[in-house]
Amino acid sequence: MGQRGRYTVTRKGIGWILAFALLVVLFTYEAPDRSSWTAWSLPLAGTVIAIDAGHGGKDGGATSATGEVVEKDVTLAISMYLRDFLQQSGAYVIMTREEDKDLASPEADANRKRKSEDIRNRVKLVNENTPDFLISIHVNSIPSPKWSGAQTFYSPGFKKSAEMSYLIQDEIKRVIGNTDRVPKLTNNVFLIREVACPAVLVEVGFVSNTQEAKQLQSVDYQKAMANAIYQGILRQYSGEKVSVTPES
């Protein structure tokens, strides 16, 4: 009996020691720095990105041969999906438009300056908000229906523009898989040339190509394109280094 009693007391003592040790751990444990949680779960936290959905309102942009697919609708849809992806990763997103309108004033038509006023106001809006980056979404169209495939464009003002252009194009190839185009250097696109931040214009496909026009109208294709652009942005902001040999 004596031995059993001593054994019982010892077991209880061990229990109290373990309980005390647990309390010590709970009260002295330091949680990981919250900034590390943010960096891990929100890779774009603290990043400001502007998205420009090309055209809008009276300016429909390019249209398919049937007239069913209109550039302003496609660019807005892809831009909104891209906005959602970016916000979910912690980015602060600035949109030049979130509805079917342009940025020209009511008086612009009388002065026949609607297009120029619209594009200058887009530049002004972007520059006033000082984003880290601008993505402008457009749809391509030429008289021949044989051409297809998405392509990125950038101006020479910022090295980061070239890098982002390459990474987005690479992701479009991987995700969409229907283009062998390469980034193209240009100084003729007013918006990406005049904004005071790195910028890329993405022509998401040819509305003049019958097959691609149908794809551009598809929600699945629009989301896939937005995701490809998003993945390219993630790669750039992860610090990936690239060597760009653009099409000139």
Side-chain angles (χ1 to χ4, degrees):
M1 284 294 290
Q3 290 181 346
R4 183 171 180 178
R6 286 197 299 271
Y7 174 76
T8 302
V9 171
T10 303
R11 185 169 59 183
K12 287 182 179 179
I14 292 173
W16 282 110
I17 292 171
L18 289 175
F20 178 75
L22 178 60
L23 287 174
V24 170
V25 170
L26 288 175
F27 283 104
T28 60
Y29 175 74
E30 293 186 7
D33 184 2
R34 290 185 66 86
S35 64
S36 67
W37 295 0
T38 300
W40 177 73
S41 60
L42 299 174
L44 295 177
T47 304
V48 181
I49 297 178
I51 302 175
D52 172 58
H55 305 278
K58 294 182 179 181
D59 178 15
T63 60
S64 62
T66 62
E68 295 179 358
V69 188
V70 183
E71 181 173 6
K72 67 175 183 177
D73 299 330
V74 175
T75 61
L76 182 58
I78 293 174
S79 294
M80 297 297 274
Y81 292 131
L82 176 59
R83 178 203 64 182
D84 293 345
F85 287 138
L86 292 170
Q87 287 179 339
Q88 288 167 11
S89 286
Y92 181 80
V93 180
I94 298 159
M95 303 287 289
T96 59
R97 69 180 182 100
E98 294 183 276
E99 56 187 338
D100 184 16
K101 67 175 185 179
D102 62 12
L103 275 66
S105 66
E107 299 77 26
D109 286 333
N111 299 326
R112 296 182 180 180
K113 293 182 178 179
R114 185 165 207 92
K115 185 62 180 176
S116 62
E117 184 177 308
D118 170 56
I119 198 69
R120 289 181 185 280
N121 283 340
R122 290 176 194 248
V123 171
K124 181 181 178 183
L125 186 152
V126 171
N127 287 342
E128 285 177 346
N129 285 278
T130 61
D132 298 302
F133 208 89
L134 165 70
I135 301 290
S136 184
I137 310 294
H138 283 262
V139 170
N140 222 331
S141 179
I142 58 175
S144 173
K146 72 176 183 178
W147 300 104
S148 65
Q151 187 169 24
T152 58
F153 295 80
Y154 69 95
S155 288
F158 294 90
K159 180 182 178 182
K160 191 174 179 179
S161 298
E163 294 172 345
M164 186 74 84
S165 183
Y166 175 87
L167 291 169
I168 291 174
Q169 186 71 42
D170 193 51
E171 283 299 308
I172 290 173
K173 290 178 181 179
R174 184 184 69 84
V175 175
I176 306 297
N178 64 352
T179 181
D180 59 359
R181 295 179 178 276
V182 297
K184 188 169 184 177
L185 174 67
T186 178
N187 208 30
N188 297 324
V189 180
F190 185 85
L191 178 64
I192 62 172
R193 187 187 71 212
E194 296 298 320
V195 292
C197 66
V200 168
L201 183 144
V202 185
E203 295 277 7
V204 296
F206 282 80
V207 77
S208 49
N209 179 281
T210 303
Q211 180 180 355
E212 203 153 74
K214 291 180 180 178
Q215 291 177 319
L216 289 168
Q217 199 176 25
S218 161
V219 171
D220 288 343
Y221 186 87
Q222 291 168 357
K223 287 182 178 179
M225 181 61 69
N227 180 50
I229 298 169
Y230 165 68
Q231 294 297 333
I233 293 171
L234 283 182
R235 286 174 62 183
Q236 208 285 331
Y237 278 94
S238 73
E240 182 172 341
K241 303 299 182 183
V242 296
S243 176
V244 181
T245 305
E247 180 180 293
S248 57

